[in-house]
mmCIF file of all heavy atoms in Angstrom:
data_model
loop_
_atom_site.group_PDB
_atom_site.id
_atom_site.type_symbol
_atom_site.label_atom_id
_atom_site.label_comp_id
_atom_site.label_asym_id
_atom_site.label_seq_id
_atom_site.Cartn_x
_atom_site.Cartn_y
_atom_site.Cartn_z
ATOM 1 N N MET A 90 -59.081 -64.917 -59.258
ATOM 2 C CA MET A 90 -58.376 -64.121 -58.254
ATOM 3 C C MET A 90 -58.131 -65.016 -57.046
ATOM 4 O O MET A 90 -58.948 -65.875 -56.722
ATOM 5 C CB MET A 90 -59.180 -62.878 -57.838
ATOM 6 C CG MET A 90 -60.506 -63.160 -57.173
ATOM 7 S SD MET A 90 -61.422 -61.664 -56.661
ATOM 8 C CE MET A 90 -60.698 -61.360 -55.047
ATOM 9 N N ASP A 91 -56.982 -64.848 -56.405
ATOM 10 C CA ASP A 91 -56.726 -65.607 -55.187
ATOM 11 C C ASP A 91 -56.793 -64.669 -53.995
ATOM 12 O O ASP A 91 -56.737 -63.443 -54.145
ATOM 13 C CB ASP A 91 -55.368 -66.314 -55.258
ATOM 14 C CG ASP A 91 -54.220 -65.405 -54.842
ATOM 15 O OD1 ASP A 91 -54.084 -64.330 -55.455
ATOM 16 O OD2 ASP A 91 -53.475 -65.752 -53.925
ATOM 17 N N LEU A 92 -56.915 -65.248 -52.797
ATOM 18 C CA LEU A 92 -56.968 -64.457 -51.571
ATOM 19 C C LEU A 92 -55.848 -64.871 -50.615
ATOM 20 O O LEU A 92 -55.969 -64.738 -49.402
ATOM 21 C CB LEU A 92 -58.330 -64.632 -50.878
ATOM 22 C CG LEU A 92 -59.572 -64.255 -51.677
ATOM 23 C CD1 LEU A 92 -60.835 -64.457 -50.835
ATOM 24 C CD2 LEU A 92 -59.504 -62.814 -52.185
ATOM 25 N N GLY A 93 -54.747 -65.374 -51.171
ATOM 26 C CA GLY A 93 -53.680 -65.921 -50.351
ATOM 27 C C GLY A 93 -52.884 -64.886 -49.581
ATOM 28 O O GLY A 93 -52.701 -63.751 -50.042
ATOM 29 N N SER A 94 -52.354 -65.296 -48.419
ATOM 30 C CA SER A 94 -51.577 -64.408 -47.555
ATOM 31 C C SER A 94 -50.109 -64.319 -47.928
ATOM 32 O O SER A 94 -49.361 -63.565 -47.320
ATOM 33 C CB SER A 94 -51.697 -64.866 -46.096
ATOM 34 O OG SER A 94 -53.020 -64.745 -45.642
ATOM 35 N N LYS A 96 -47.550 -64.051 -51.571
ATOM 36 C CA LYS A 96 -47.750 -63.665 -52.962
ATOM 37 C C LYS A 96 -46.589 -63.998 -53.891
ATOM 38 O O LYS A 96 -46.787 -64.220 -55.087
ATOM 39 C CB LYS A 96 -48.041 -62.152 -53.037
ATOM 40 C CG LYS A 96 -49.480 -61.817 -52.678
ATOM 41 C CD LYS A 96 -50.410 -62.280 -53.780
ATOM 42 C CE LYS A 96 -51.857 -62.360 -53.373
ATOM 43 N NZ LYS A 96 -52.195 -63.588 -52.636
ATOM 44 N N VAL A 113 -55.560 -62.451 -61.178
ATOM 45 C CA VAL A 113 -55.306 -61.258 -60.375
ATOM 46 C C VAL A 113 -54.925 -61.714 -58.972
ATOM 47 O O VAL A 113 -55.680 -62.451 -58.320
ATOM 48 C CB VAL A 113 -56.530 -60.331 -60.313
ATOM 49 C CG1 VAL A 113 -56.193 -59.054 -59.542
ATOM 50 C CG2 VAL A 113 -57.014 -59.977 -61.726
ATOM 51 N N ALA A 114 -53.741 -61.288 -58.518
ATOM 52 C CA ALA A 114 -53.214 -61.701 -57.210
ATOM 53 C C ALA A 114 -53.688 -60.725 -56.140
ATOM 54 O O ALA A 114 -53.344 -59.538 -56.176
ATOM 55 C CB ALA A 114 -51.689 -61.743 -57.244
ATOM 56 N N VAL A 115 -54.458 -61.230 -55.181
ATOM 57 C CA VAL A 115 -55.136 -60.371 -54.200
ATOM 58 C C VAL A 115 -54.880 -60.878 -52.785
ATOM 59 O O VAL A 115 -54.831 -62.084 -52.542
ATOM 60 C CB VAL A 115 -56.659 -60.350 -54.473
ATOM 61 C CG1 VAL A 115 -57.393 -59.531 -53.411
ATOM 62 C CG2 VAL A 115 -56.958 -59.807 -55.871
ATOM 63 N N HIS A 116 -54.733 -59.954 -51.841
ATOM 64 C CA HIS A 116 -54.664 -60.324 -50.423
ATOM 65 C C HIS A 116 -55.454 -59.316 -49.589
ATOM 66 O O HIS A 116 -54.993 -58.200 -49.354
ATOM 67 C CB HIS A 116 -53.225 -60.367 -49.921
ATOM 68 C CG HIS A 116 -53.127 -60.746 -48.468
ATOM 69 N ND1 HIS A 116 -52.041 -60.426 -47.691
ATOM 70 C CD2 HIS A 116 -53.994 -61.404 -47.640
ATOM 71 C CE1 HIS A 116 -52.240 -60.875 -46.457
ATOM 72 N NE2 HIS A 116 -53.424 -61.465 -46.410
ATOM 73 N N PRO A 117 -56.637 -59.692 -49.106
ATOM 74 C CA PRO A 117 -57.383 -58.809 -48.196
ATOM 75 C C PRO A 117 -56.718 -58.783 -46.822
ATOM 76 O O PRO A 117 -56.430 -59.836 -46.254
ATOM 77 C CB PRO A 117 -58.775 -59.468 -48.113
ATOM 78 C CG PRO A 117 -58.810 -60.470 -49.220
ATOM 79 C CD PRO A 117 -57.397 -60.895 -49.435
ATOM 80 N N MET A 118 -56.495 -57.604 -46.295
ATOM 81 C CA MET A 118 -55.877 -57.473 -44.974
ATOM 82 C C MET A 118 -56.972 -57.528 -43.915
ATOM 83 O O MET A 118 -57.294 -56.542 -43.255
ATOM 84 C CB MET A 118 -55.084 -56.167 -44.897
ATOM 85 C CG MET A 118 -53.979 -56.071 -45.924
ATOM 86 S SD MET A 118 -52.778 -57.408 -45.775
ATOM 87 C CE MET A 118 -52.127 -57.100 -44.142
ATOM 88 N N ALA A 119 -57.539 -58.700 -43.783
ATOM 89 C CA ALA A 119 -58.646 -58.891 -42.847
ATOM 90 C C ALA A 119 -58.665 -60.345 -42.413
ATOM 91 O O ALA A 119 -58.220 -61.226 -43.145
ATOM 92 C CB ALA A 119 -59.978 -58.518 -43.508
ATOM 93 N N LYS A 137 -61.589 -52.354 -44.869
ATOM 94 C CA LYS A 137 -60.255 -52.936 -44.713
ATOM 95 C C LYS A 137 -59.419 -52.684 -45.968
ATOM 96 O O LYS A 137 -59.947 -52.455 -47.063
ATOM 97 C CB LYS A 137 -60.357 -54.448 -44.480
ATOM 98 C CG LYS A 137 -61.185 -54.841 -43.263
ATOM 99 C CD LYS A 137 -60.559 -54.377 -41.983
ATOM 100 C CE LYS A 137 -61.146 -55.113 -40.764
ATOM 101 N NZ LYS A 137 -62.597 -55.212 -40.767
ATOM 102 N N ASN A 138 -58.096 -52.735 -45.800
ATOM 103 C CA ASN A 138 -57.192 -52.621 -46.938
ATOM 104 C C ASN A 138 -57.111 -53.953 -47.680
ATOM 105 O O ASN A 138 -57.235 -55.024 -47.084
ATOM 106 C CB ASN A 138 -55.793 -52.221 -46.471
ATOM 107 C CG ASN A 138 -55.748 -50.811 -45.927
ATOM 108 O OD1 ASN A 138 -56.403 -49.914 -46.443
ATOM 109 N ND2 ASN A 138 -54.980 -50.598 -44.876
ATOM 110 N N VAL A 139 -56.887 -53.861 -48.983
ATOM 111 C CA VAL A 139 -56.671 -55.055 -49.790
ATOM 112 C C VAL A 139 -55.534 -54.752 -50.758
ATOM 113 O O VAL A 139 -55.447 -53.648 -51.307
ATOM 114 C CB VAL A 139 -57.950 -55.481 -50.549
ATOM 115 C CG1 VAL A 139 -58.462 -54.384 -51.460
ATOM 116 C CG2 VAL A 139 -57.714 -56.770 -51.323
ATOM 117 N N ILE A 140 -54.657 -55.716 -50.937
ATOM 118 C CA ILE A 140 -53.470 -55.526 -51.774
ATOM 119 C C ILE A 140 -53.612 -56.325 -53.063
ATOM 120 O O ILE A 140 -53.978 -57.507 -53.034
ATOM 121 C CB ILE A 140 -52.197 -55.965 -51.021
ATOM 122 C CG1 ILE A 140 -51.996 -55.085 -49.788
ATOM 123 C CG2 ILE A 140 -50.970 -55.894 -51.932
ATOM 124 C CD1 ILE A 140 -50.970 -55.614 -48.808
ATOM 125 N N ILE A 141 -53.331 -55.672 -54.171
ATOM 126 C CA ILE A 141 -53.236 -56.349 -55.462
ATOM 127 C C ILE A 141 -51.772 -56.310 -55.888
ATOM 128 O O ILE A 141 -51.145 -55.247 -55.886
ATOM 129 C CB ILE A 141 -54.118 -55.679 -56.529
ATOM 130 C CG1 ILE A 141 -55.595 -55.808 -56.156
ATOM 131 C CG2 ILE A 141 -53.865 -56.295 -57.906
ATOM 132 C CD1 ILE A 141 -56.549 -55.129 -57.144
ATOM 133 N N CYS A 142 -51.219 -57.462 -56.241
ATOM 134 C CA CYS A 142 -49.818 -57.542 -56.649
ATOM 135 C C CYS A 142 -49.697 -57.720 -58.162
ATOM 136 O O CYS A 142 -50.512 -58.408 -58.780
ATOM 137 C CB CYS A 142 -49.128 -58.705 -55.945
ATOM 138 S SG CYS A 142 -48.869 -58.441 -54.181
ATOM 139 N N ASP A 143 -48.673 -57.093 -58.730
ATOM 140 C CA ASP A 143 -48.374 -57.201 -60.169
ATOM 141 C C ASP A 143 -49.600 -56.898 -61.029
ATOM 142 O O ASP A 143 -49.934 -57.639 -61.957
ATOM 143 C CB ASP A 143 -47.862 -58.617 -60.492
ATOM 144 C CG ASP A 143 -46.419 -58.828 -60.080
ATOM 145 O OD1 ASP A 143 -45.731 -57.825 -59.789
ATOM 146 O OD2 ASP A 143 -45.971 -59.991 -60.049
ATOM 147 N N LYS A 144 -50.255 -55.792 -60.756
ATOM 148 C CA LYS A 144 -51.487 -55.472 -61.482
ATOM 149 C C LYS A 144 -51.245 -55.325 -62.983
ATOM 150 O O LYS A 144 -52.130 -55.611 -63.791
ATOM 151 C CB LYS A 144 -52.123 -54.196 -60.936
ATOM 152 C CG LYS A 144 -51.343 -52.912 -61.206
ATOM 153 C CD LYS A 144 -52.155 -51.688 -60.813
ATOM 154 C CE LYS A 144 -51.439 -50.400 -61.201
ATOM 155 N NZ LYS A 144 -52.262 -49.204 -60.938
ATOM 156 N N VAL A 155 -62.083 -57.397 -60.940
ATOM 157 C CA VAL A 155 -61.696 -57.650 -59.552
ATOM 158 C C VAL A 155 -61.728 -56.358 -58.744
ATOM 159 O O VAL A 155 -62.236 -56.323 -57.609
ATOM 160 C CB VAL A 155 -60.302 -58.305 -59.487
ATOM 161 C CG1 VAL A 155 -59.781 -58.330 -58.053
ATOM 162 C CG2 VAL A 155 -60.356 -59.714 -60.062
ATOM 163 N N LEU A 159 -63.960 -55.652 -55.379
ATOM 164 C CA LEU A 159 -63.303 -55.304 -54.122
ATOM 165 C C LEU A 159 -63.816 -53.970 -53.580
ATOM 166 O O LEU A 159 -64.077 -53.827 -52.375
ATOM 167 C CB LEU A 159 -61.787 -55.245 -54.312
ATOM 168 C CG LEU A 159 -61.094 -56.577 -54.610
ATOM 169 C CD1 LEU A 159 -59.620 -56.347 -54.908
ATOM 170 C CD2 LEU A 159 -61.259 -57.561 -53.454
ATOM 171 N N MET A 164 -63.757 -52.329 -49.734
ATOM 172 C CA MET A 164 -62.338 -52.387 -49.407
ATOM 173 C C MET A 164 -61.554 -51.254 -50.067
ATOM 174 O O MET A 164 -61.964 -50.703 -51.087
ATOM 175 C CB MET A 164 -61.761 -53.743 -49.822
ATOM 176 C CG MET A 164 -62.493 -54.930 -49.217
ATOM 177 S SD MET A 164 -61.486 -56.436 -49.220
ATOM 178 C CE MET A 164 -60.387 -56.093 -47.856
ATOM 179 N N LYS A 165 -60.409 -50.933 -49.446
ATOM 180 C CA LYS A 165 -59.522 -49.891 -49.960
ATOM 181 C C LYS A 165 -58.325 -50.560 -50.638
ATOM 182 O O LYS A 165 -57.552 -51.268 -49.989
ATOM 183 C CB LYS A 165 -59.064 -48.991 -48.812
ATOM 184 C CG LYS A 165 -60.217 -48.223 -48.163
ATOM 185 C CD LYS A 165 -59.775 -47.477 -46.927
ATOM 186 C CE LYS A 165 -59.594 -48.411 -45.734
ATOM 187 N NZ LYS A 165 -59.365 -47.663 -44.470
ATOM 188 N N ILE A 166 -58.177 -50.313 -51.942
ATOM 189 C CA ILE A 166 -57.197 -51.050 -52.742
ATOM 190 C C ILE A 166 -55.826 -50.380 -52.707
ATOM 191 O O ILE A 166 -55.705 -49.159 -52.863
ATOM 192 C CB ILE A 166 -57.676 -51.172 -54.194
ATOM 193 C CG1 ILE A 166 -59.019 -51.910 -54.255
ATOM 194 C CG2 ILE A 166 -56.636 -51.900 -55.047
ATOM 195 C CD1 ILE A 166 -59.626 -51.968 -55.648
ATOM 196 N N HIS A 167 -54.792 -51.191 -52.509
ATOM 197 C CA HIS A 167 -53.404 -50.757 -52.596
ATOM 198 C C HIS A 167 -52.674 -51.712 -53.542
ATOM 199 O O HIS A 167 -53.094 -52.858 -53.732
ATOM 200 C CB HIS A 167 -52.738 -50.769 -51.222
ATOM 201 C CG HIS A 167 -53.413 -49.884 -50.216
ATOM 202 N ND1 HIS A 167 -53.053 -48.574 -50.010
ATOM 203 C CD2 HIS A 167 -54.453 -50.122 -49.381
ATOM 204 C CE1 HIS A 167 -53.826 -48.041 -49.080
ATOM 205 N NE2 HIS A 167 -54.689 -48.961 -48.681
ATOM 206 N N TYR A 168 -51.573 -51.237 -54.119
ATOM 207 C CA TYR A 168 -50.838 -52.033 -55.097
ATOM 208 C C TYR A 168 -49.398 -52.216 -54.619
ATOM 209 O O TYR A 168 -48.757 -51.271 -54.170
ATOM 210 C CB TYR A 168 -50.862 -51.360 -56.466
ATOM 211 C CG TYR A 168 -52.267 -51.100 -56.969
ATOM 212 C CD1 TYR A 168 -52.873 -49.855 -56.792
ATOM 213 C CD2 TYR A 168 -52.994 -52.111 -57.605
ATOM 214 C CE1 TYR A 168 -54.158 -49.616 -57.234
ATOM 215 C CE2 TYR A 168 -54.292 -51.875 -58.057
ATOM 216 C CZ TYR A 168 -54.869 -50.632 -57.860
ATOM 217 O OH TYR A 168 -56.153 -50.405 -58.296
ATOM 218 N N MET A 169 -48.897 -53.444 -54.722
ATOM 219 C CA MET A 169 -47.541 -53.748 -54.287
ATOM 220 C C MET A 169 -46.929 -54.799 -55.203
ATOM 221 O O MET A 169 -47.644 -55.490 -55.935
ATOM 222 C CB MET A 169 -47.538 -54.289 -52.848
ATOM 223 C CG MET A 169 -48.058 -53.338 -51.792
ATOM 224 S SD MET A 169 -48.035 -54.059 -50.116
ATOM 225 C CE MET A 169 -46.287 -53.975 -49.779
ATOM 226 N N LYS A 170 -45.624 -54.926 -55.114
ATOM 227 C CA LYS A 170 -44.934 -56.035 -55.757
ATOM 228 C C LYS A 170 -44.963 -57.235 -54.809
ATOM 229 O O LYS A 170 -44.959 -57.069 -53.583
ATOM 230 C CB LYS A 170 -43.490 -55.666 -56.081
ATOM 231 C CG LYS A 170 -43.337 -54.433 -56.963
ATOM 232 C CD LYS A 170 -44.111 -54.560 -58.267
ATOM 233 C CE LYS A 170 -43.548 -55.636 -59.182
ATOM 234 N NZ LYS A 170 -44.309 -55.727 -60.455
ATOM 235 N N PRO A 171 -44.960 -58.446 -55.333
ATOM 236 C CA PRO A 171 -45.041 -59.632 -54.471
ATOM 237 C C PRO A 171 -43.922 -59.721 -53.438
ATOM 238 O O PRO A 171 -44.177 -60.086 -52.277
ATOM 239 C CB PRO A 171 -44.964 -60.793 -55.467
ATOM 240 C CG PRO A 171 -45.443 -60.232 -56.758
ATOM 241 C CD PRO A 171 -44.998 -58.806 -56.766
ATOM 242 N N GLU A 173 -42.190 -57.297 -52.077
ATOM 243 C CA GLU A 173 -42.440 -56.268 -51.063
ATOM 244 C C GLU A 173 -43.572 -56.710 -50.130
ATOM 245 O O GLU A 173 -43.489 -56.564 -48.901
ATOM 246 C CB GLU A 173 -42.806 -54.964 -51.775
ATOM 247 C CG GLU A 173 -43.075 -53.784 -50.860
ATOM 248 C CD GLU A 173 -43.566 -52.564 -51.621
ATOM 249 O OE1 GLU A 173 -43.904 -52.694 -52.821
ATOM 250 O OE2 GLU A 173 -43.636 -51.491 -51.004
ATOM 251 N N HIS A 174 -44.620 -57.252 -50.707
ATOM 252 C CA HIS A 174 -45.758 -57.728 -49.921
ATOM 253 C C HIS A 174 -45.308 -58.767 -48.889
ATOM 254 O O HIS A 174 -45.611 -58.672 -47.697
ATOM 255 C CB HIS A 174 -46.811 -58.333 -50.853
ATOM 256 C CG HIS A 174 -47.889 -59.106 -50.151
ATOM 257 N ND1 HIS A 174 -47.721 -60.418 -49.733
ATOM 258 C CD2 HIS A 174 -49.145 -58.763 -49.789
ATOM 259 C CE1 HIS A 174 -48.821 -60.834 -49.148
ATOM 260 N NE2 HIS A 174 -49.703 -59.849 -49.152
ATOM 261 N N ASP A 175 -44.585 -59.783 -49.324
ATOM 262 C CA ASP A 175 -44.211 -60.876 -48.434
ATOM 263 C C ASP A 175 -43.263 -60.419 -47.331
ATOM 264 O O ASP A 175 -43.333 -60.908 -46.194
ATOM 265 C CB ASP A 175 -43.585 -62.013 -49.230
ATOM 266 C CG ASP A 175 -44.625 -62.829 -50.001
ATOM 267 O OD1 ASP A 175 -45.805 -62.413 -50.036
ATOM 268 O OD2 ASP A 175 -44.257 -63.869 -50.571
ATOM 269 N N HIS A 177 -43.134 -57.315 -45.939
ATOM 270 C CA HIS A 177 -43.885 -56.537 -44.961
ATOM 271 C C HIS A 177 -44.822 -57.422 -44.140
ATOM 272 O O HIS A 177 -44.961 -57.250 -42.930
ATOM 273 C CB HIS A 177 -44.690 -55.442 -45.663
ATOM 274 C CG HIS A 177 -43.836 -54.383 -46.298
ATOM 275 N ND1 HIS A 177 -42.590 -54.051 -45.825
ATOM 276 C CD2 HIS A 177 -44.064 -53.569 -47.365
ATOM 277 C CE1 HIS A 177 -42.077 -53.090 -46.568
ATOM 278 N NE2 HIS A 177 -42.952 -52.775 -47.507
ATOM 279 N N LEU A 178 -45.462 -58.385 -44.795
ATOM 280 C CA LEU A 178 -46.410 -59.247 -44.088
ATOM 281 C C LEU A 178 -45.717 -60.151 -43.070
ATOM 282 O O LEU A 178 -46.317 -60.526 -42.062
ATOM 283 C CB LEU A 178 -47.204 -60.084 -45.088
ATOM 284 C CG LEU A 178 -48.574 -59.521 -45.504
ATOM 285 C CD1 LEU A 178 -49.543 -59.532 -44.320
ATOM 286 C CD2 LEU A 178 -48.461 -58.108 -46.053
ATOM 287 N N VAL A 181 -45.714 -57.720 -39.986
ATOM 288 C CA VAL A 181 -46.956 -57.181 -39.427
ATOM 289 C C VAL A 181 -48.057 -58.222 -39.279
ATOM 290 O O VAL A 181 -49.079 -57.964 -38.654
ATOM 291 C CB VAL A 181 -47.484 -55.990 -40.267
ATOM 292 C CG1 VAL A 181 -46.459 -54.881 -40.326
ATOM 293 C CG2 VAL A 181 -47.892 -56.436 -41.671
#
Side-chain angles (χ1 to χ4, degrees):
M90 63 179 274
D91 84 304
L92 302 181
S94 296
K96 281 289 163 279
V113 184
V115 177
H116 180 202
M118 300 301 297
K137 302 295 197 314
N138 292 322
V139 58
I140 297 167
I141 295 178
C142 289
D143 283 346
K144 68 171 185 175
V155 169
L159 293 175
M164 304 201 77
K165 296 173 284 189
I166 300 175
H167 301 268
Y168 303 96
M169 298 179 75
K170 303 304 293 181
E173 181 186 11
H174 168 279
D175 284 8
H177 293 332
L178 265 293
V181 301

